[in-house]
Amino acid sequence: MMGDPKEAGAEASPSGTAARGGLSLLSQTESEEPSAQGSALFLGGSEVKSRAVVKYSSAPPRTAFARLEEKTDLKLPPANWLRESAKLGPAGTTILGNSKKSKPFSSFGMAYDFIDSVGNDVDVVSDSENIKKLLKIPYSKSHVSMAVHRIGRTLLLDELDIQELFMRSSQTGDWTWLKEFYQRLIDQKWQRKKKSKEHWYQKAILSKFLYYSINGDGAAQPVPSPAEQQESSSSDQTHESEGASWPAPFEMPSSVSEDPSASSQGLKNDFVRNILWTFEDIHMLVGSNMPIFGGGRYPAVSLRLRDNNKPINVLTGIDYWLDNLICNVPELVMCFHVNGIVQKYEMIKTEEIPNLENSNFSTKVIKDIAQNILSFLKSNCTKEGHTYWLFKASGSDIVKLYDLTTLCEETEDKYQNPFTMPVAILLYKVACNMMMKKNQNKKHYGTIRTLLLNCVKLLDKSRHPQIIASANYMLSELFQLDEPKKEESSDSPLNENSDESYSEEEEEMADSDENGSYSTSSDPADDNKAVAIIKSVGELSVPEKYKSIHQIRPSCAFPVCHDTEERCRLVLSYVLEGLKSVDSSIKKESDLPAADPSTPIPLKYEDESTRGGPEGLEKQMALFLDKMGSLQKGNCSGQSGMTPGSWQHKMKLQLILKSSKAYYILSDAAMSLQKYGRALRYIKLALQSHDTYCCLCTNMLSEVLLFLSQYLTLCGDIQLMLAQNANNRAAHLEEFNYQTKEDQEILHSLHRESSCQGFAWATDLSTDLESQLSVSCKCYEAANEILQFSDLKSQNPEHYVQVLKRMGNIRNEIGVFYMNQAAALQGERVVSKSVSAAEQQLWKKSFSCFEKGIHNFESIDDATNAALLLCNTGRLMRVCAQAHCGAEDEFKREFSPEEGLYYSKAVDYYLKALRSLGTRDMHPVVWDSVNWELSTTYFTMATLQQDYAPLSRKAQEQIEKEVSEAMMKSLKHCDVDSATARQPLCQYRAATIHHRLASMYHSCLRNQVGDEHLRKQHRVLADLHYSKAAKLFQLLRDAPCELLRVQLERVAFAEFQMSSQNSNVGKLKTLSGALDIMVRTEHAFQLIRKELVEECDQPKNDEATSAADSSPNLNREEVIKLLSIFESRLSFLLLQSIKLMSSSKRKMSNAVEEDVVLQTNKQIYSQLLRATANRNSTLLERTEVIICLLEQLASGSSGSSGSAVP
């Protein structure tokens, strides 16, 4: 019955205190401030802290009790006797009154209702009668028999009525093993002990007294018929207790995990009130049916009936005191009677009860007993899921604790223990409750894991597949697959106690010396069956006798997973167990082909996919996209015949999704370790899991589609890396083909629902590079297509950008692959003069890939990568141009229009790339690279036009103009000033351009007749470019030959000028300038000499090495050729100089100087002739002679009037 919420609050308040806040009935979560809920009572001179909070009450508003007149005869039944009454609650429905026996699963009923408290906050859950019985053990001779169960740090205590149990055993055959054990070791002559008539007389009088006291106010129900009344008053209650208490070996309905209210078969919370009672430091959830009265002067009192002829003893005093303490009742009203005739009433305050005459007891001792018993139980009832039996025989001082689960297992049928299912369900419910709050605090993960493991261990897989599947799924959920590594390290304090955790691996705990105080070899032979023994009940009164021996075990630690793979493997082991449970519960086994989980399932798609190549991929992709489209409409079903919406269907979906995530994480981890074969195997399993999920799912969630997009993206990455690491293919193939037994079994479960071939096109390990690149591209395309299905693109912009970047990248890779293939074909072409169709096809494929890649990057505003692809497209155009150049006959070679067209296109793409970048600051490296390529393209165009002038199509002047323009553009994009790694290359390129331009103008000058103005312009330009080329070549240390050639061409240019001069003075001046140019070549000869000396210094045994090293630096043939030309030109210039100086008319002012120059030139000429005449001179000697002569020439002509040449 439900009462007023205010009443529930009032009961929670100490005497005279109004409840604050609101406690609604049946509320399990709301509570008030502790100050309004409990009180500290000062009893017997020493403080005992006690606080009671009513968590739930079904009692009606409290009313005053009816004070009976003296001489009222309690033997006569009142008019309302045995009618149901809300005021008395269960106490009124039987003649047992408030001493009514609790049901054997009463603590479980409470635990189910207050699941939040179990496993963590509360130490004990039990009926108040059991608590009282335990605390009275040292004072009482009566027997104690209780079942104890551990859930986390909470102990559940229930009365284990041996007599009742064995009566049932004789009828049903259950518990026969316990009966045999009991008779063999404890009470050999067990027989049913009947209650005395006096016992039933006292119960009847108490019941009538309570009915008189509620004043017969019409709330009673109709009186039962006289026959029923007689039966109920005279019966020994056997039938009632049997019907309500012991169900058949407990079986929970299959809907238990979905229906939390499923608590039938004796698992109901039948108490009038549930109280959270804190006694000292012990937190207890207690059920009580004690009637509480109030009104007037007494807001809350308990009512007791006493025989005036029998004094109150200690046991009764403790009983009354604890009842009032638990229910927070400040006063006790005692009604005394003699032979059923009321004599008087007496009011006693709760704190005075311990000091009553004949019932003195120390509250401090009661506190010590409570702490010792709790410590004893917590120290020894360590295994979750086990049923412990606390037993004290009548009249004995020895208390024993047995592990009934272990004893039961010896009988080979653990399901004979009726506590098994309630315990398993409670473990499951507590874990579920903690899981709902798992994100609030990870420190509970270890506890949840242990609860679930023990739950699974208790259950029969064939009888309870749903709970087992659900528990295994929750176990897998505990492991955060995608948590960052830093979290793992921050959680490390939780893992420090890992070896202290109690779970299935440590079920058999070694007895430690600490347990020695509980047992002794002098006890009877049954000690080896007992877990622990209290040798004397007197020990319980000794303060902290057991407290210091055993601390309460810490929460189970979560297992330390040292790496991602270990964590995922644990998850997959739970997923597999869950899948096995689901599969075992599906009845249509006969419809499925038998498969052995230990043998791999043959995969029949290899030939098909390899035969198709990239073209076959297109078809498979189309099929895949059709399937994805149909998923949106929900047209899917599995093969095993599961009903959509059934628990099997829902659970298998969750488990399969979990497995796909675990395999994805494993694949990602393998990828980061560069184990690409393993990564592909794992992503294949992830996609097979996902394919099965698609077959089962009726409504695809966008979150799951996002997962699929991520899986395909990773698959694309793996295929690309495999393509780029082809040299290690054998190792990758071996890793890919390896499979664990666990993976095979999971795959076997997947194959019950689907062929798992939906993604076969993406997960093949091909040996063909083109095929791997194509598969990688298709994976990215599929990932992108999935993002288009729903609003995923806008919801996950980061992932979308990543997919498009990868698409752009793979298209660049494929484009480069085709471009290189085309270049290779071009290199192989010898006889054929025309461009082959295969080449053109490769160009088209390459261009198409680059174009799509550029579009991908532009759509996400990635200007840098777009510029790189434009640059590669430019390179492709140059490859095309080169192909057309190779198609010509070398002797009749001319720069063709096709070459010009492709080079112009290349230039356009490079310029687009620069526009895409905007400025150099955006990405200096890419900017410099594009600039260099553009400069190279202009330079190549100009060089080809210059070397293979298309004179058949264009005039010489037109060609010269185009060459000049192209060279100047190349020079513009050639950065000689920036100090980068490419600076020497740029300087060499610029010097070469100036040299070529100078040579061109020099050639024009030689061949041109007519326009003097144009000739003069060409002369100036040639001179300018020669001087610039010389300056730039002088900056380079590795181009002495080029410098020498430029200077010799300058000398030739001077000679050409001299040939057109008529006056000796002019000629002499030109000669002097030419000799000065000769002097300036000393730098080049010094570099050549240095190289030659280094060659000579190389050890002879390293000849091969030295030749290899020096060959790129110094071309000996070229040096010899240039040196010979230089010697002849120097000889010619000196001779001409001597002739002119000798024959010319001298001015007196310069005569002396000219004589000196003349003499010097003669000496040098003489030495040069002698040196060139000596045919045996080495190259080094000849070089040194030239250097020596040039030094003399420099010193001799320093005072001369010759003009200086830059």
Side-chain angles (χ1 to χ4, degrees):
M1 292 222 179
M2 293 176 63
D4 190 291
K6 294 177 185 171
E7 170 58 18
E11 286 188 6
S13 310
S15 176
T17 308
R20 295 193 295 277
L23 268 176
S24 61
L25 293 185
L26 301 170
S27 166
Q28 300 178 13
T29 54
E30 295 175 34
S31 61
E32 302 169 351
E33 293 298 316
S35 59
Q37 311 246 5
S39 57
L41 304 179
F42 294 85
L43 307 168
S46 63
E47 182 182 347
V48 174
K49 293 175 191 164
S50 170
R51 194 182 76 191
V53 178
V54 174
K55 300 286 281 182
Y56 160 77
S57 173
S58 62
R62 205 177 289 150
T63 55
F65 62 92
R67 201 178 182 105
L68 305 184
E69 295 179 8
E70 273 188 57
K71 308 300 181 187
T72 300
D73 188 352
L74 296 177
K75 292 193 289 295
L76 299 174
N80 62 346
W81 191 40
L82 295 182
R83 297 184 186 184
E84 284 190 21
S85 164
K87 293 180 184 177
L88 292 181
T93 58
T94 76
I95 61 166
L96 299 178
N98 67 338
S99 299
K100 171 182 180 286
K101 285 190 179 171
S102 60
K103 294 182 180 179
F105 298 107
S106 61
S107 68
F108 288 89
M110 275 193 285
Y112 288 173
D113 282 354
F114 299 98
I115 208 82
D116 272 347
S117 304
V118 178
N120 192 27
D121 306 326
V122 172
D123 295 300
V124 177
V125 178
S126 187
D127 181 353
S128 60
E129 297 301 314
N130 296 334
I131 303 284
K132 291 191 292 182
K133 194 174 283 189
L134 280 179
L135 298 186
K136 289 189 292 184
I137 282 179
Y139 300 93
S140 169
K141 291 292 181 188
S142 61
H143 88 286
V144 174
S145 173
M146 286 186 200
V148 185
H149 296 91
R150 184 185 189 115
I151 308 287
R153 59 165 278 184
T154 304
L155 295 177
L156 275 66
L157 305 179
D158 291 281
E159 184 175 5
L160 195 61
D161 188 335
I162 291 294
Q163 292 193 6
E164 184 63 46
L165 208 58
F166 294 166
M167 281 291 290
R168 180 169 186 79
S169 172
S170 59
Q171 295 170 14
T172 65
D174 298 332
W175 293 92
T176 48
W177 58 274
L178 183 59
K179 185 175 181 181
E180 288 166 12
F181 168 76
Y182 182 83
Q183 288 178 327
R184 189 170 76 250
L185 298 177
I186 298 169
D187 186 354
Q188 293 175 352
K189 297 176 183 177
W190 177 82
Q191 58 180 9
R192 176 133 181 112
K193 297 177 175 65
K194 291 190 176 180
K195 304 278 187 185
S196 64
K197 284 186 178 179
E198 175 63 22
H199 170 83
W200 294 117
Y201 167 74
Q202 292 297 339
K203 292 294 178 193
I205 275 195
L206 173 59
S207 178
K208 290 169 189 172
F209 165 67
L210 287 173
Y211 273 96
Y212 274 118
S213 299
I214 62 170
N215 205 17
D217 59 356
Q221 297 299 315
V223 182
S225 67
E228 289 172 345
Q229 187 172 326
Q230 181 61 30
E231 185 185 348
S232 60
S233 58
S234 61
S235 158
D236 66 1
Q237 299 301 307
T238 301
H239 300 299
E240 184 185 288
S241 15
E242 273 183 19
S245 49
W246 290 103
F250 188 86
E251 289 187 27
M252 189 53 101
S254 64
S255 62
V256 67
S257 61
E258 295 169 19
D259 180 10
S261 64
S263 54
S264 59
Q265 305 197 32
L267 297 189
K268 213 169 141 194
N269 183 357
D270 278 337
F271 296 103
V272 171
R273 61 185 70 78
N274 301 123
I275 298 154
L276 199 57
W277 180 42
T278 306
F279 184 57
E280 282 296 309
D281 56 349
I282 304 170
H283 303 283
M284 293 177 261
L285 181 61
V286 182
S288 171
N289 288 323
M290 183 177 80
I292 300 176
F293 299 90
R297 289 171 42 217
Y298 317 114
V301 294
S302 58
L303 205 53
R304 302 288 181 176
L305 181 67
R306 289 300 304 164
D307 190 331
N308 211 10
N309 297 327
K310 295 177 185 174
I312 295 175
N313 59 22
V314 172
L315 292 173
T316 309
I318 293 173
D319 224 33
Y320 293 172
W321 180 69
L322 288 172
D323 266 334
N324 276 16
L325 224 52
I326 290 167
C327 295
N328 219 10
V329 175
E331 290 180 293
L332 165 69
V333 173
M334 195 96 78
C335 174
F336 292 93
H337 74 97
V338 176
N339 295 326
I341 308 298
V342 174
Q343 300 295 311
K344 62 173 180 174
Y345 281 83
E346 192 176 316
M347 185 78 74
I348 303 165
K349 288 192 172 173
T350 301
E351 59 264 38
E352 293 169 1
I353 296 173
N355 302 319
L356 290 178
E357 194 178 346
N358 298 320
S359 99
N360 279 2
F361 61 89
S362 164
T363 56
K364 195 89 168 61
V365 170
I366 301 293
K367 179 199 80 171
D368 292 335
I369 293 166
Q371 288 172 336
N372 281 327
I373 288 176
L374 181 67
S375 294
F376 172 77
L377 291 175
K378 285 214 170 184
S379 301
N380 294 290
C381 303
T382 53
K383 296 173 187 173
E384 274 183 322
H386 280 226
T387 298
Y388 292 91
W389 179 29
L390 186 73
F391 179 76
K392 181 176 89 75
S394 184
S396 169
D397 272 356
I398 300 171
V399 182
K400 297 176 183 177
L401 186 71
Y402 297 95
D403 183 346
L404 290 188
T405 303
T406 307
L407 293 172
C408 179
E409 280 167 357
E410 291 170 9
T411 68
E412 299 181 355
D413 184 5
K414 62 180 177 177
Y415 297 102
Q416 277 198 354
N417 177 356
F419 282 104
T420 302
M421 262 310 285
V423 172
I425 299 299
L426 187 55
L427 288 166
Y428 176 77
K429 286 196 169 199
V430 172
C432 283
N433 186 60
M434 286 183 168
M435 278 293 279
M436 288 178 201
K437 305 171 184 172
K438 67 172 183 170
N439 295 327
Q440 297 169 15
N441 202 340
K442 287 190 176 179
K443 74 179 181 188
H444 294 315
Y445 278 21
T447 309
I448 296 171
R449 177 174 172 268
T450 307
L451 289 166
L452 291 169
L453 287 173
N454 287 322
C455 165
V456 169
K457 207 167 59 178
L458 286 176
L459 297 170
D460 182 344
K461 290 181 181 178
S462 60
R463 296 188 200 181
H464 308 288
Q466 185 180 4
I467 300 175
I468 288 175
S470 181
N472 276 298
Y473 175 66
M474 280 199 284
L475 281 165
S476 73
E477 276 288 282
L478 286 174
F479 294 84
Q480 297 299 301
L481 290 175
D482 48 359
E483 66 187 10
K485 287 193 172 141
K486 60 183 180 185
E487 278 189 37
E488 289 174 30
S489 57
S490 67
D491 286 350
S492 58
L494 305 181
N495 299 330
E496 286 168 5
N497 299 326
S498 58
D499 48 350
E500 293 184 42
S501 67
Y502 56 100
S503 61
E504 81 284 8
E505 294 91 349
E506 300 170 48
E507 187 176 319
E508 299 305 322
M509 293 169 54
D511 288 333
S512 64
D513 295 337
E514 295 168 352
N515 288 338
S517 60
Y518 297 137
S519 59
T520 173
S521 56
S522 61
D523 278 326
D526 61 309
D527 285 350
N528 62 342
K529 297 284 185 187
V531 175
I533 294 174
I534 298 174
K535 290 179 288 186
S536 167
V537 291
E539 291 181 354
L540 294 172
S541 305
V542 180
E544 298 191 359
K545 169 73 178 173
Y546 296 111
K547 191 162 180 83
S548 59
I549 293 172
H550 272 281
Q551 292 299 317
I552 293 170
R553 294 177 74 84
S555 291
C556 310
F558 202 54
V560 186
C561 291
H562 297 290
D563 60 13
T564 307
E565 182 153 7
E566 191 181 342
R567 189 164 63 234
C568 291
R569 279 282 156 211
L570 261 173
V571 167
L572 288 168
S573 69
Y574 295 130
V575 166
L576 176 57
E577 287 306 313
L579 288 172
K580 283 179 178 175
S581 288
V582 174
D583 291 343
S584 69
S585 71
I586 300 169
K587 290 174 184 171
K588 291 184 72 176
E589 297 279 355
S590 57
D591 299 347
L592 293 167
D596 178 7
S598 63
T599 55
I601 291 152
L603 306 175
K604 299 174 183 170
Y605 55 84
E606 285 90 341
D607 300 338
E608 207 176 299
S609 57
T610 50
R611 187 176 67 235
E615 291 76 18
L617 269 179
E618 294 292 341
K619 292 178 186 172
Q620 290 174 338
M621 268 291 291
L623 288 170
F624 159 72
L625 292 173
D626 284 347
K627 182 177 177 183
M628 292 311 299
S630 69
L631 277 182
Q632 298 299 102
K633 300 166 196 162
N635 305 330
C636 299
S637 62
Q639 296 171 358
S640 67
M642 283 192 298
T643 312
S646 65
W647 75 264
Q648 287 103 329
H649 184 259
K650 290 178 184 173
M651 184 52 65
K652 193 153 190 177
L653 273 175
Q654 292 300 318
L655 289 165
I656 289 171
L657 191 60
K658 193 73 180 178
S659 73
S660 74
K661 286 184 196 171
Y663 282 127
Y664 168 70
I665 302 293
L666 279 170
S667 180
D668 195 39
M671 179 79 170
S672 61
L673 294 171
Q674 297 180 351
K675 302 285 186 184
Y676 305 122
R678 189 193 306 172
L680 185 61
R681 167 163 55 91
Y682 283 137
I683 203 67
K684 179 175 183 174
L685 286 161
L687 287 167
Q688 284 176 321
S689 299
H690 207 287
D691 189 30
T692 309
Y693 184 92
C694 294
C695 286
L696 291 175
C697 188
T698 51
N699 182 23
M700 186 65 73
L701 296 171
S702 59
E703 177 196 11
V704 179
L705 280 173
L706 177 62
F707 289 148
L708 179 55
S709 179
Q710 289 169 341
Y711 299 170
L712 286 166
T713 306
L714 180 59
C715 189
D717 292 349
I718 296 164
Q719 291 283 13
L720 175 58
M721 295 316 293
L722 283 165
Q724 291 176 350
N725 290 270
N727 55 344
N728 209 7
R729 185 168 280 138
H732 295 319
L733 188 62
E734 188 181 342
E735 282 187 331
F736 175 68
N737 289 327
Y738 172 77
Q739 209 168 39
T740 65
K741 187 170 188 297
E742 194 175 67
D743 293 341
Q744 288 172 12
E745 289 183 346
I746 289 175
L747 198 54
H748 174 60
S749 179
L750 299 179
H751 273 270
R752 291 169 60 91
E753 313 300 335
S754 156
S755 64
C756 300
Q757 301 302 305
F759 299 98
W761 56 270
T763 54
D764 271 346
L765 180 52
S766 171
T767 53
D768 175 46
L769 180 61
E770 182 183 354
S771 174
Q772 283 179 319
L773 291 171
S774 298
V775 168
S776 178
C777 187
K778 292 298 172 197
C779 286
Y780 296 136
E781 285 173 13
N784 185 43
E785 286 290 340
I786 287 161
L787 292 176
Q788 315 296 330
F789 275 128
S790 51
D791 202 22
L792 284 172
K793 189 166 72 173
S794 55
Q795 290 168 8
N796 304 277
E798 286 180 17
H799 177 60
Y800 177 64
V801 166
Q802 284 302 315
V803 170
L804 282 181
K805 270 194 177 181
R806 283 167 160 80
M807 277 171 71
N809 179 55
I810 191 66
R811 282 166 171 165
N812 179 50
E813 291 284 338
I814 297 172
V816 169
F817 170 78
Y818 287 137
M819 179 166 67
N820 291 340
Q821 274 199 324
L825 274 181
Q826 182 185 316
E828 290 166 10
R829 177 156 41 89
V830 182
V831 184
S832 171
K833 295 184 178 182
S834 61
V835 178
S836 67
E839 278 181 81
Q840 290 181 332
Q841 195 61 35
L842 288 168
W843 295 343
K844 285 178 186 174
K845 284 183 179 179
S846 179
F847 181 73
S848 171
C849 289
F850 288 139
E851 204 171 35
K852 288 176 183 173
I854 292 163
H855 175 70
N856 291 146
F857 285 125
E858 285 176 348
S859 66
I860 53 171
D861 300 325
D862 189 343
T864 308
N865 279 318
L868 282 170
L869 262 75
L870 284 162
C871 192
N872 276 343
T873 314
R875 190 173 142 221
L876 174 65
M877 295 299 112
R878 283 161 61 194
V879 168
C880 297
Q882 285 162 15
H884 284 90
C885 123
E888 298 283 335
D889 187 345
E890 191 63 33
F891 297 106
K892 302 174 185 176
R893 170 102 166 83
E894 276 193 3
F895 184 71
S896 66
E898 288 84 4
E899 283 178 88
L901 176 69
Y902 281 117
Y903 278 123
S904 298
K905 283 185 178 179
V907 166
D908 288 343
Y909 282 113
Y910 289 129
L911 290 171
K912 273 185 189 175
L914 289 177
R915 282 198 296 275
S916 174
L917 288 169
T919 61
R920 185 175 185 273
D921 297 341
M922 187 170 177
H923 205 297
V925 178
V926 177
W927 176 273
D928 291 346
S929 177
V930 175
N931 243 334
W932 173 252
E933 293 295 332
L934 181 56
S935 170
T936 305
T937 307
Y938 278 127
F939 178 71
T940 308
M941 278 173 75
T943 306
L944 289 170
Q945 276 185 295
Q946 193 175 10
D947 294 349
Y948 306 101
L951 293 168
S952 63
R953 292 182 291 110
K954 294 182 182 178
Q956 178 74 31
E957 291 79 8
Q958 176 67 19
I959 294 168
E960 286 168 3
K961 185 184 175 188
E962 285 178 8
V963 168
S964 175
E965 283 175 2
M967 286 290 190
M968 293 314 288
K969 284 176 180 174
S970 177
L971 206 55
K972 176 188 168 189
H973 292 284
C974 191
D975 184 5
V976 293
D977 300 321
S978 299
T980 60
R982 203 181 265 122
Q983 190 182 25
L985 274 177
C986 290
Q987 288 172 337
Y988 186 87
R989 164 77 51 77
T992 307
I993 289 169
H994 285 300
H995 180 197
R996 275 185 163 271
L997 284 171
S999 297
M1000 185 179 77
Y1001 291 127
H1002 185 177
S1003 173
C1004 290
L1005 206 58
R1006 279 176 186 277
N1007 302 326
Q1008 218 168 29
V1009 184
D1011 191 348
E1012 192 56 38
H1013 172 71
L1014 199 59
R1015 284 174 63 79
K1016 186 178 179 183
Q1017 194 180 353
H1018 283 166
R1019 189 183 298 117
V1020 171
L1021 284 170
D1023 198 41
L1024 174 70
H1025 286 300
Y1026 273 134
S1027 65
K1028 284 187 176 179
K1031 273 184 184 175
L1032 286 164
F1033 277 132
Q1034 276 181 329
L1035 294 173
L1036 299 166
R1037 294 184 176 184
D1038 54 355
C1041 292
E1042 285 83 349
L1043 176 57
L1044 198 51
R1045 189 180 291 108
V1046 168
Q1047 298 291 45
L1048 284 170
E1049 282 190 28
R1050 290 179 78 186
V1051 170
F1053 182 59
E1055 288 178 17
F1056 172 71
Q1057 284 180 299
M1058 194 173 71
S1059 65
S1060 62
Q1061 289 175 325
N1062 296 320
S1063 70
N1064 283 352
V1065 176
K1067 285 184 178 181
L1068 199 58
K1069 190 176 180 181
T1070 304
L1071 270 173
S1072 180
L1075 282 169
D1076 200 38
I1077 291 169
M1078 287 294 206
V1079 169
R1080 289 176 184 279
T1081 58
E1082 188 191 340
H1083 174 69
F1085 283 112
Q1086 291 283 11
L1087 289 173
I1088 291 168
R1089 178 179 174 276
K1090 187 181 172 188
E1091 294 274 351
L1092 291 169
V1093 169
E1094 282 177 5
E1095 272 186 40
C1096 293
D1097 289 346
Q1098 292 267 350
K1100 287 189 178 177
N1101 57 356
D1102 268 359
E1103 278 179 13
T1105 316
S1106 67
D1109 287 346
S1110 64
S1111 58
N1113 297 333
L1114 197 64
N1115 186 335
R1116 292 180 73 90
E1117 288 179 11
E1118 178 83 354
V1119 171
I1120 292 166
K1121 182 181 169 187
L1122 289 169
L1123 186 60
S1124 299
I1125 296 170
F1126 187 87
E1127 285 170 346
S1128 71
R1129 295 337 292 158
L1130 181 59
S1131 173
F1132 172 76
L1133 289 174
L1134 288 169
L1135 182 60
Q1136 291 300 317
S1137 170
I1138 292 165
K1139 282 181 181 178
L1140 283 171
M1141 281 184 164
S1142 301
S1143 62
S1144 64
K1145 295 174 183 176
R1146 305 175 195 172
K1147 294 177 182 176
M1148 292 305 293
S1149 57
N1150 291 339
V1152 179
E1153 287 177 18
E1154 287 183 6
D1155 280 343
V1156 172
V1157 171
L1158 182 61
Q1159 290 304 316
T1160 306
N1161 287 359
K1162 282 180 179 179
Q1163 284 176 11
I1164 293 168
Y1165 182 65
S1166 170
Q1167 290 175 39
L1168 181 60
L1169 286 175
R1170 278 197 297 272
T1172 50
N1174 184 4
R1175 299 289 179 188
N1176 298 322
S1177 301
T1178 62
L1179 184 59
L1180 179 60
E1181 287 168 350
R1182 286 172 69 187
T1183 307
E1184 285 175 337
V1185 166
I1186 293 294
I1187 291 169
C1188 178
L1189 294 176
L1190 290 176
E1191 283 173 351
Q1192 287 178 42
L1193 193 60
S1195 59
S1197 63
S1198 58
S1200 75
S1201 58
S1203 63
V1205 180

